[in-house]
Amino acid sequence: MIVDYGVGNLGSIQNMLTRLGAIVEITSDPRVIERASKLILPGVGAFDAGMGQLIRSGLKSTLDDAALVRKIPIAGICLGMQLMTESSEEGTTPGLGWVAAKAIRFNPDSDEIVKVPHMGWNTVTLAKNSPVLQFVDKDARFYFVHSYFVRCENAGDVLLRAQHGLTAFDAAFQNENLYGFQFHPEKSHRFGKALLRGFVEMV
């Protein structure tokens, strides 16, 4: 299931999952989400706006139950990843708080020739193995568009790392059933398709 809370790039994710043979539904119905075996929480835009949408839509409590009680696999993409953390420097609204982490703004040194937002293709390095990465090549690269990045409090949660200028950041995390991807798998061609295949096929 892809969670529709009004701030996601839903169609592209659904199309890639469909090409993998997955039967996937886009929904904002809590009753449907309650029956889901896996969820994807997408998102683009501002942190406070995203959390506001989750709260106003009434989905927050349903998602909390899925993440923390039923413990089904949930993948957060871009803003969706950041919303899974405790907070963001972008806003004042608390995040979902599922993972001990915060979203921090890129702040390049004045002598760095880097742009914010970090936008385009970038390579990643493996921090730990995971079934979600079982089909991903070692030379994988992914497409990023973001001005804020996640910093995990626990190094053991970090799945992939990347670098923008002098700043190293956590490009993906896994904490038990919870997965976060700062990049956009749906825009990352065969690399993103391999990642989503891992999410779809893992038990």
Side-chain angles (χ1 to χ4, degrees), residues 57-149:
S57 67
L59 290 176
K60 182 181 180 299
S61 60
T62 304
L63 292 173
D64 283 341
D65 181 75
L68 306 176
V69 180
R70 291 199 293 133
K71 289 186 175 291
I72 65 171
I74 302 178
I77 295 175
C78 197
L79 176 63
M81 176 194 192
Q82 296 177 10
L83 295 178
M84 295 167 79
T85 71
E86 298 167 330
S87 64
S88 173
E89 289 183 351
E90 187 178 16
T92 58
T93 305
L96 291 166
W98 299 343
V99 177
K102 293 179 172 60
I104 299 168
R105 193 178 196 282
F106 281 112
N107 186 24
D109 294 337
S110 59
D111 58 346
E112 279 193 83
I113 307 174
V114 295
K115 294 182 179 180
V116 178
H118 169 219
M119 182 164 55
W121 291 90
N122 202 347
T123 56
V124 296
T125 57
L126 181 69
K128 69 175 180 179
N129 290 313
S130 169
V132 78
L133 301 175
Q134 61 184 305
F135 304 112
V136 177
D137 295 340
K138 292 181 179 179
D139 63 344
R141 57 189 185 278
F142 295 96
Y143 192 84
F144 292 81
V145 183
H146 61 123
S147 298
Y148 294 79
F149 62 91

Side-chain angles (χ1 to χ4, degrees), residues 121 141-143 183-192:
W121 291 90
R141 57 189 185 278
F142 295 96
Y143 192 84
F183 47 82
H184 287 272
E186 76 282 6
K187 296 181 180 179
S188 299
H189 305 309
R190 67 182 180 89
F191 304 111

